[in-house]
């Protein structure tokens, strides 16, 4: 028998069978990997939960919650989700890919208001039960629904106020108004923030009007500031009872010298800068008031030329 098997090993049929076995093993391993990756990706569960939120199907959402991480009652959950849903204007949406965050799998849906072009994110955290063929449930323990709903509920008020601060601030910078009284008037604690706002504006104006390195031009005058690519975030801290509004944006500026009797040339400079404006609002349970201000401003690129 051994001799026959040795002779069979030398045949083409034996080699063919070995190749088939190798192919089958590779296919099996590949299918196993694909199955494991699919089983360990909660995209389907996340999409179902998010679409239920869009359709206001709060019963389906509640069934998907991990009751080990949240003891919230169905009535309270539905009440919260209904209140939260009212703050979302969803004309279109995009569900992102599953990512790892804070030690958990998360998936984020970006909701778009076609009329205002504003975007709002809705993030879902997951808990995993099992290994080879796990079950994924929604983890509410890493999301403070009360704080999230507060930020969303007051978003329109905060946006209106923050937009006003930004418009008035850059109008002051454009006009080289270092006192910024129009900006300061928006704050509840005017005396406390006065020096901070004026110092920020003074430094901003200095950067945009700074003369040439060779000393030929001592000072430019600001001619135009164009803000774009604004990203807005709204947060609420229940412990401090404060809202925070963060505007991240780019802006282009143009500065130039003025024509004088002794100089008929106009020297110009322009550049791109990026900035983050952080505004803090106090909240007493009824009213929202602006209490703090901060801007981080950095250069992106800078060009100078003579015309």
């Amino acid at each position: 028998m051994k001799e026959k098997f040795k002779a069979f090993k030398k045949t083409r049929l034996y080699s063919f069978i070995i190749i088939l076995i190798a192919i089958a093993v590779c296919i099996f391993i590949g299918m196993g990997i694909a199955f494991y990756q699919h089983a360990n990706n909660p995209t389907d569960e996340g999409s179902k939960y998010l679409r239920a939120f869009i359709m206001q199907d709060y019963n389906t959402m509640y069934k998907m919650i991990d009751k080990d991480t949240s003891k919230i009652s169905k009535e309270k959950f539905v009440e919260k989700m209904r209140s939260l849903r009212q703050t979302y204007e969803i004309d279109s949406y995009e569900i992102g890919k599953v990512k790892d965050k804070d030690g958990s799998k998360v998936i984020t849906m970006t909701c778009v208001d076609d009329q205002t072009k504003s975007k709002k994110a809705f993030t879902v955290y997951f808990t995993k039960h099992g290994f080879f063929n796990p079950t994924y449930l929604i983890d509410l323990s890493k999301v403070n629904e009360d704080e999230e709903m507060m930020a969303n509920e007051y978003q329109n008020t905060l946006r209106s106020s923050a937009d006003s601060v930004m418009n008035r601030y850059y109008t002051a910078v454009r006009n080289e108004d270092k006192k910024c009284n129009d900006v300061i008037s928006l704050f509840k604690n005017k005396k406390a923030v006065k020096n901070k706002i004026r110092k920020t504006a003074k430094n901003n104006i200095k950067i945009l009007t700074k003369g040439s390195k060779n000393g030929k031009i001592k000072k430019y005058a600001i001619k135009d500031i164009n803000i774009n690519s604004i990203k807005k975030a709204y947060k609420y801290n229940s412990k401090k009872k404060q809202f925070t509004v963060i505007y991240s944006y780019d802006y282009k500026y143009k500065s130039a010298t003025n024509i004088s009797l002794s100089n008929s040339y106009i020297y110009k400079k322009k550049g791109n800068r990026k900035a983050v404006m952080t505004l803090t609002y106090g909240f007493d349970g009824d009213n929202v008031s602006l209490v703090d201000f901060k801007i981080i401003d950095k250069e992106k690129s800078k060009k100078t030329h003579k015309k």
Side-chain angles (χ1 to χ4, degrees), residues 11-173:
T11 63
R12 291 183 178 180
L13 179 59
Y14 178 81
S15 300
F16 181 69
I17 292 173
I18 294 299
I19 293 172
L20 289 178
I21 293 173
I23 293 174
V25 170
C26 291
I27 292 174
F28 179 78
I29 293 174
M31 290 176 64
I33 293 174
F35 175 79
Y36 177 80
Q37 290 177 338
H38 176 75
N40 284 271
N41 187 322
T43 298
D44 292 343
E45 291 85 350
S47 297
K48 181 180 179 181
Y49 186 81
L50 293 170
R51 290 193 175 96
F53 176 73
I54 293 172
M55 300 301 295
Q56 303 179 51
D57 183 0
Y58 308 122
N59 290 330
T60 295
M61 294 177 71
Y62 185 74
K63 291 176 182 178
M64 299 179 69
I65 294 172
D66 188 345
K67 305 306 187 294
D68 292 336
T69 64
S70 178
K71 303 299 182 182
I72 187 170
S73 67
K74 182 178 179 180
E75 291 73 19
K76 188 174 182 180
F77 174 81
V78 171
E79 179 185 347
K80 285 190 172 187
M81 287 300 106
R82 182 178 289 115
S83 175
L84 183 61
R85 179 64 178 83
Q86 291 175 355
T87 67
Y88 280 77
E89 188 66 38
I90 308 176
D91 293 317
S92 58
Y93 66 92
E94 180 180 352
I95 298 176
K97 296 181 179 179
V98 174
K99 297 181 179 180
D100 293 309
K101 181 180 179 182
D102 301 332
S104 300
K105 297 286 186 183
V106 303
I107 189 169
T108 298
M109 174 176 64
T110 302
C111 305
V112 181
D113 182 343
D114 290 343
Q115 184 175 359
T116 63
K117 304 301 181 184
S118 61
K119 297 181 179 180
K120 188 183 293 188
F122 188 100
T123 300
V124 177
Y125 289 79
F126 298 96
T127 55
K128 178 182 176 182
H129 298 268
F131 183 73
F132 287 106
N133 189 19
T135 298
Y136 282 96
L137 297 173
I138 308 303
D139 183 0
L140 295 183
S141 67
K142 295 186 177 182
V143 178
N144 190 323
E145 301 94 346
D146 293 329
E147 293 190 353
E148 185 176 345
M149 281 188 288
M150 283 289 290
N152 281 286
E153 183 178 347
Y154 283 84
Q155 184 170 311
N156 290 335
T157 300
L158 296 170
R159 182 194 296 119
S160 177
S161 173
D163 286 350
S164 182
V165 174
M166 174 174 278
N167 291 335
R168 294 191 189 193
Y169 175 79
Y170 282 102
T171 296
V173 172

Side-chain angles (χ1 to χ4, degrees), residues 262-280:
S262 60
N263 181 16
S264 61
Y265 289 100
I266 298 177
Y267 291 86
K268 297 182 178 181
K269 76 170 184 175
K270 60 183 180 179
N272 298 325
R273 300 186 69 82
K274 57 182 179 180
V276 177
M277 175 184 284
T278 303
L279 302 174
T280 304

